[in-house]
Amino acid sequence: MFAVKVPKKEAEKTRRKLLELGVLAKGYSVKREGDFVLFPVTGPLDGFELVEAEFERLEKRPHSYREVVDVPEKVKPLLPSSFDIIGDIAIIELPDELKPYGKAIGEAILKVHRHIKAVFAKGSKIEGEYRVRELVHLAGENRTETIHRENGIRLRLDVAKVYFSPRLATERMRIFRKTRPGEIVFDMFAGVGPYSILLAKKAKLVFACDLNPWAVRYLEENVRLNKTNNVIPVLGDVRKVAGKIKADRVIMNLPKFADRFLREALLSVKPGGVIHYYGFGPEENLFSEHEAKIKAVARELGLNVEFLERRKVRPYAPRQFNIAIDFRVK
Ligand SMILES: C[S@@+](CC[C@H](N)C(=O)[O-])C[C@H]1O[C@@H](n2cnc3c(N)ncnc32)[C@H](O)[C@@H]1O
């Protein structure tokens, strides 16, 4: 094929010029010959030294592990189109029919996504007070600790010992944008600190409570990692600290059971303060039951609430959503 031959020192300038002219042939690697570089071009052109040369085709990199995975054709339609990535660890949900092919699926993920070093399958639902799940090792390193980057912060965590979902990054940024300098924040169910550490970049002080000793251990480490010394980690049941703290903003990120902790949240917010409540709701009735509970508990305490914002955070199960309700307490 036709090639433009230029001295090495002119290579970059020439590449840009050929790109600008739209004549650089795609899918081939550039060739080096002594002090010269050869660019494959789509046809003859004026103003360049042209030669005839052969070029190696560039390997087309697959975009999805589904393009390379070695599983029987009949199960291919069941391959999940997405999986969670936490740091350098991938966590995939496999239907029963795919479980015998876990190793092949894990290896295909490692092959396509070079930054992933370990692949696990979800081995159970999220369970218990600590909200963790079992994981089954599929391929790569058999390691569950990693460092995850999101919203400009770094979070060290062990995916087998603590709760963490990368799918909440946008929601956390939404709360960060609402936070005002000088605020006192109470993160009632803090985990390893994805809300607390982010909000600490703006707030005056963040109380970050969690029952899971592993979560608090990582939270303490993440405070050091991000130099957010205005985060106060609290290990234990939030019921013991609620009411002792008076915050401008309270975060209740325990969607499965948040309604059981409304009293504690309402007792911990200053007059005029805001509570970010999370729950799960069916598509046909996302918010009203949660709002009824919020109003009932507020009434018992002689408080009023003003609903500020209601939103679907993410799909949770078929026709079920993780929802957020922001309300002001008066
Ligand atoms: C859904 S996770 C959320 C963690 C974190 N906010 C995040 O976004 O990754 C809920 C957390 O609440 C903690 N938790 C559950 N019950 C609690 C309680 N009674 N007091 C304090 N923490 C609790 C769990 O250990 C878990 O880490």
Side-chain angles (χ1 to χ4, degrees), residues 21-237:
L21 294 169
V23 294
L24 195 61
K26 287 189 186 123
Y28 298 93
S29 57
V30 167
K31 207 170 177 170
R32 280 168 192 84
E33 267 182 14
D35 286 338
F36 290 89
V37 176
L38 281 74
F39 292 98
V41 287
T42 49
L45 43 137
D46 295 335
F48 291 96
E49 184 192 338
L50 283 182
V51 292
E52 181 67 32
E54 278 180 16
F55 290 89
E56 266 178 45
R57 272 210 163 271
L58 281 173
E59 201 190 320
K60 203 173 149 244
R61 281 195 40 85
H63 292 299
S64 165
Y65 78 97
R66 294 188 293 178
E67 293 170 41
V68 300
V69 68
D70 185 15
V71 297
E73 280 302 317
K74 67 174 192 311
V75 295
K76 281 196 173 167
L78 300 172
L79 289 165
S81 59
S82 66
F83 48 83
D84 282 344
I85 300 175
I86 303 178
D88 58 3
I89 298 176
I91 301 177
I92 190 162
E93 183 161 7
L94 295 180
D96 286 344
E97 297 88 327
L98 284 177
K99 286 188 177 146
Y101 311 106
K103 189 165 187 273
I105 293 169
E107 276 166 3
I109 291 175
L110 291 175
K111 194 166 168 190
V112 174
H113 303 275
R114 298 279 162 83
H115 63 290
I116 293 177
K117 301 289 179 233
V119 185
F120 292 85
K122 294 180 181 175
S124 71
K125 288 204 158 66
I126 289 198
E127 289 163 338
E129 279 188 310
Y130 296 170
R131 313 305 299 142
V132 288
R133 69 164 93 246
E134 277 171 32
L135 295 172
V136 181
H137 180 245
L138 298 183
E141 295 172 30
N142 193 354
R143 141 173 83 78
T144 48
E145 195 184 71
T146 189
I147 293 186
H148 184 76
R149 286 174 171 77
E150 90 170 21
N151 296 327
I153 62 170
R154 283 182 299 161
L155 299 162
R156 188 187 289 275
L157 66 118
D158 188 319
V159 290
K161 294 193 172 98
V162 299
Y163 174 93
F164 183 79
S165 172
R167 299 185 198 190
L168 294 174
T170 312
E171 173 59 15
R172 296 192 259 262
M173 185 39 81
R174 184 181 78 88
I175 308 299
F176 174 74
R177 292 209 176 97
K178 292 192 180 296
T179 304
R180 295 284 149 249
E183 280 189 1
I184 295 180
V185 174
F186 182 20
D187 188 359
M188 291 174 73
F189 311 102
V192 301
Y195 281 90
S196 293
I197 288 172
L198 180 63
L199 268 53
K201 300 271 178 197
K202 235 195 226 176
K204 183 173 160 199
L205 206 57
V206 180
F207 292 97
C209 180
D210 206 285
L211 196 59
N212 177 352
W214 281 106
V216 175
R217 212 183 114 174
Y218 282 109
L219 170 65
E220 287 166 348
E221 201 168 331
N222 292 330
V223 167
R224 285 192 289 276
L225 208 57
N226 294 279
K227 302 187 174 67
T228 46
N229 296 325
N230 52 340
V231 175
I232 318 286
V234 182
L235 170 62
D237 193 319

Side-chain angles (χ1 to χ4, degrees), residues 6-18 39:
V6 290
K8 247 190 205 164
K9 60 179 187 319
E10 286 173 29
E12 187 48 30
K13 197 175 84 192
T14 308
R15 191 187 65 85
R16 271 194 250 127
K17 186 75 194 158
L18 295 172
F39 292 98

